[in-house]
Amino acid sequence: MSDFEYASAPESRAIANIASNYGLFIGGKFVQPKKGKSFNTINPATEEVLSKIGYADKSDIDAAVKSARSAYLKVWSKMPAKERGKYLYRIARIMQERAREFAVVETLDNGKPIRESRDTDIPLAAAHFFYHAGWADKLEFAGFGSKPKSLGVVGQVIPWNFPLLMLAWKIAPALAAGNTVVLKPAETTPLTALLFAEVCQQAGLPEGVVNIVTGDGVTGAALVNHPDINKIAFTGSTEVGKSIARAISGSKKTATLELGGKAANIVFDDAAIDEAVEGIVNGIFFNQGHVCCAGSRLILQENVADEVLDKLKKRMSLIRVGDPMDKNTDLGAINSKEQLNKINEISNAGDKEGANRWSPELKLPSKGFWFPPTIFTGVTQSHRIAREEIFGPVLSVLTFRTPAEAIEKANNTMYGLSAGIWSDKGSKVLWAAKQLNAGVIWSNTFNKFDPASPFGGYKESGWGREGGRHGLSGYLTAEAKVNK
Amino acid sequence: MIIDGSEKSLRKFLSELSPVDQVGAEARAAMLATRSIKTSSKAWAIDIAISMVDLTTLEGADTPGKIKTLCAKAVRPDPTDLTVPSVGAICVYNDMVRIARSELDSIGGNSVPVAAVATAFPSGRASLAVKKIDTQDALDAGASEIDMVIDRGAFLSGRLMEVFEEIRIIKELCADKAHLKVILETGELVTYDNVRKASYLAMLAGADFIKTSTGKVAPAATAPVVLVMLEAVRDYFALTGTKIGVKPAGGIRTTKDAIKQLVLVKETAGDQWLTPDLFRIGASALLNDLLMQRMKLRSGHYASANYVTVD
């Protein structure tokens, strides 16, 4: 028998200079919140307090929006486009240079494995800045009219699942199009946004072009409701997205909303089974399942269901759960106690409704927030675990008999963000892709992202697209006038 | 039996194998290459890798002298440290088998097997009669492992039964005298679907091991090819209860390469395959790199190349 147990291989945290406290980043400087309030951000894998973070209230938001408006009117909207592009290139390069530091801070604050922050989050975030830097001086060729204009000041609210990457998705196109921004990172993961503020300083970005305000949902609502904001860009829950839509109705504000999902991952009997199993694992266990486009509903053709499930269970037994800083960890910590409670609540409902829960045998760390990789078999369309977004490492397995039934089940959801198709037969893949109501459809792969590719959903998964030319359009207007 | 020996049943079985998705297989292999193997696990991996090396010389210029130095290296890879295990086997052309066997026996290497490449290695372009004589010759000289090549021409032109029959006949010759390793020469089969099909074909025909390459064709033992072969032995075991070994050969030169192979084994076929009985690495330069890394791990610093022997 083998003794080939992987010894611990921790990434060093020495490179991360996390300050004991952070203010708000307004007008190019870190300033203390006016009321002096703060909150802690913790490492969800250990519950250790990482830093004390300034809490922005209404008056701080007002200062940030004023600073963004002033930077927009005096500097950023007047600057030649190619100069804007240079700043974006500079930011992208600094992010690459400081990639390891960003990766370590992201993993400490979020709980995701260092392998993912190192190989996915940070390189993709830098790629978004590079991609949009190229657009800055080519907007008149993007197909939005001969003189597309920026909108003005954009309020941006981002989630905790991919903190820096979501920041990049928001800030890079906004700046490339000539807008200035006030961005609020999630309450539980503010650190890489604050590190990004340092990058803005390092890049010499004009003061007020990027403002970062930290806080909770109340802070976010104050930003959304501020009268001098031209556009809201939000990624998060459908519930909050709906409240934003209500809040801005009747105002001149526009919005891009990137909301929830309950993606179908359809495996046909002619699929490459071993690779499909990898895709299923990647679809739901990547980033602890904290992914809006996660393949959380596995829809299996019944005649291969046993084979796929047998291989899937064996594969799940190999998933390495534990210390996110270990370079060999595959599944890290759940981001917060609140989220863990939510995952538990919906999973328990799955038990009660009669689905069969299975997880590989493993020992979870005693401190921090953890949930094992889990599948539910015997799930029906009417179970809560087949309908509601769990946002955790929990997969619901359903079966189908004919391709038409697969599509019917896949589309039978209030969401429409993403879907996966696994088949070795090209004609079947193209047919299925046409039938699926989802903004992103992957064939024989899952969770692949590229800054050039638009991302967004149908139905309750949101409004608008991010990334690519389509995403850029959300930050521009064809009208030849500057919004005031 | 999963096939009845007829061409029809062989074709049916092979055509029903699940396809391999190239992008997905390469992505999985690339992900496993990021595993970080340190300290105690690295020490274990280096020692097991040494014991899995099929120390190989397959040159036109091979001489009895060269074979004897190779035998000495195989038995005691590091003469200054006798805790280093012997290698898995030495692998030579069959006119060198007798010399290798008697040399090994005379220096205390009785337990180190001699593997002979046979069946018109490396191209396999000879008649079955010649291939049989070639194999018998190696067996008579004392080879206890036969590394045969498949007829890639027959495989690629769809004459699957011919390939099957050749393996079956060579296996009959080996009987209980020698282990049979079947070289697929994956660099000439090119697609992963072919690699999977050829792996099953070899296993069904009686291979004890499936081996990637002759070392004479590039690419050789790439990580995705080894992944597909490890999946094949894993699933064949689930199907039949028989464990078949895997031998990557060609292009594995550094300790890092070797450890990546062991990670592939562990996370694909499983820990049970981490033994020289079921996993070998065909290599020559690799052994010295393993020895240098072993020294580094124990002493904390790198020695110059002159502290390992050149054989």
Side-chain angles (χ1 to χ4, degrees), chain A residues 18 33 41 45 52 133 146 160 172 195 235 248 284 292 296 328-329 336 367 369 444 446:
Chain A
I18 301 174
T41 187
K52 193 183 260 193
S146 62
W160 44 261
L195 200 58
T235 297
I248 65 167
I284 187 61
C292 48
S296 51
N328 293 324
T329 291
S336 65
K367 268 198 166 170
F369 317 123
N444 295 315
F446 212 93

Side-chain angles (χ1 to χ4, degrees), chain B residues 158-285:
Chain B
R159 287 173 282 138
L160 302 179
M161 204 59 200
E162 268 182 56
V163 184
F164 181 90
E165 276 300 301
E166 248 180 46
I167 299 169
R168 194 185 58 75
I169 288 163
I170 300 299
K171 172 69 181 178
E172 261 177 26
L173 287 177
C174 292
D176 55 359
K177 293 193 282 282
H179 262 62
L180 180 62
K181 305 197 197 100
V182 177
I183 303 172
L184 309 179
E185 197 64 303
T186 55
E188 290 183 347
L189 301 183
V190 181
T191 68
Y192 300 123
D193 282 331
N194 277 349
V195 172
R196 175 170 288 172
K197 214 181 260 187
S199 297
Y200 276 94
L201 189 154
M203 292 189 289
L204 290 167
D208 298 304
F209 260 77
I210 49 177
K211 174 175 168 182
T212 61
S213 326
T214 58
K216 306 291 186 192
V217 170
T222 65
V225 158
V226 179
L227 174 79
V228 169
M229 291 169 65
L230 286 163
E231 286 168 353
V233 297
R234 174 197 66 194
D235 294 346
Y236 189 80
F237 173 59
L239 203 61
T240 63
T242 305
K243 286 189 192 132
I244 308 294
V246 176
K247 178 178 170 185
I252 301 164
R253 293 191 183 89
T254 65
T255 301
K256 240 184 194 166
D257 294 339
I259 290 178
K260 282 178 189 171
Q261 295 284 338
L262 299 181
V263 167
L264 280 172
V265 175
K266 177 180 170 68
E267 300 204 33
T268 309
D271 285 327
Q272 308 165 67
W273 262 262
L274 284 169
T275 150
D277 294 338
L278 289 170
F279 197 73
R280 294 281 184 82
I281 302 171
S284 38

Side-chain angles (χ1 to χ4, degrees), chain A residues 58-86:
Chain A
K58 226 172 152 180
S59 59
D60 299 304
I61 295 292
D62 192 50
V65 174
K66 280 201 173 102
S67 142
R69 177 61 65 189
S70 157
Y72 178 68
L73 292 175
K74 291 183 189 149
V75 185
W76 201 244
S77 65
K78 292 189 175 148
M79 185 183 282
K82 70 172 183 189
E83 296 299 317
R84 287 203 312 268
K86 279 188 195 170

Side-chain angles (χ1 to χ4, degrees), chain A residues 175-446:
Chain A
L175 298 195
N179 306 279
T180 58
V181 305
V182 178
L183 176 133
K184 190 198 87 70
E187 186 184 1
T188 58
T189 56
L191 286 180
T192 45
L194 295 162
L195 200 58
F196 178 81
E198 289 178 17
V199 169
C200 293
Q201 289 179 325
Q202 198 182 341
L205 188 72
E207 293 172 358
V209 172
V210 169
N211 302 274
I212 311 261
V213 288
T214 40
D216 58 8
V218 177
T219 312
L223 179 58
V224 168
N225 290 312
H226 194 285
D228 199 28
I229 295 269
N230 298 98
K231 178 202 166 88
I232 298 295
F234 171 75
T235 297
S237 70
T238 291
E239 192 189 339
V240 175
K242 284 180 180 174
S243 75
I244 291 174
R246 279 192 289 271
I248 65 167
S249 67
S251 78
K252 284 193 297 184
K253 292 172 193 171
T254 59
T256 311
L257 303 173
E258 210 66 81
L259 310 175
K262 191 73 185 176
N265 207 0
I266 306 171
V267 179
F268 288 104
D269 60 0
D270 55 5
I273 299 294
D274 287 304
E275 286 73 37
V277 167
E278 286 305 316
I280 295 163
V281 167
N282 177 41
I284 187 61
F285 302 123
F286 171 66
N287 204 39
Q288 297 69 250
H290 300 331
V291 185
C292 48
C293 54
S296 51
R297 283 187 299 150
L298 175 60
I299 307 194
L300 277 178
Q301 193 153 357
E302 216 170 300
N303 58 338
V304 289
D306 289 345
E307 183 190 355
V308 172
L309 287 174
D310 181 49
K311 285 196 164 185
L312 178 62
K313 286 178 179 176
K314 281 182 187 147
R315 176 66 182 80
M316 282 171 68
S317 308
L318 294 169
I319 294 175
R320 306 176 64 83
V321 185
D323 180 9
M325 289 291 276
D326 192 302
K327 291 174 201 162
N328 293 324
T329 291
D330 300 319
L331 193 81
I334 300 303
N335 179 251
S336 65
K337 182 147 205 192
E338 191 192 354
Q339 187 57 29
L340 180 59
N341 290 341
K342 192 185 147 200
I343 297 168
N344 271 314
E345 197 261 320
I346 306 184
S347 301
N348 292 341
D351 295 332
K352 278 198 204 104
E353 288 173 334
N356 305 311
R357 186 199 293 237
W358 184 89
S359 289
E361 268 180 50
L362 51 84
K363 209 171 153 253
L364 295 173
S366 52
K367 268 198 166 170
F369 317 123
W370 303 91
F371 199 89
T374 300
I375 56 172
F376 278 99
T377 52
V379 177
T380 72
Q381 288 288 90
S382 50
H383 287 161
R384 273 184 73 193
I385 49 171
R387 309 201 65 79
E388 294 179 28
E389 185 175 40
I390 301 176
F391 225 62
V394 183
L395 179 67
S396 301
V397 184
L398 300 100
T399 58
F400 69 94
R401 296 161 298 176
T402 64
E405 187 184 2
I407 301 295
E408 194 182 5
K409 283 187 170 171
N411 284 339
N412 179 218
T413 165
M414 62 186 183
Y415 296 111
L417 189 51
S418 70
I421 306 164
W422 297 84
S423 167
D424 211 36
K425 196 170 193 175
S427 57
K428 193 187 281 181
V429 171
L430 293 172
W431 172 84
K434 268 190 171 173
Q435 316 295 318
L436 289 167
N437 294 322
V440 183
I441 297 170
W442 287 291
S443 97
N444 295 315
T445 188
F446 212 93

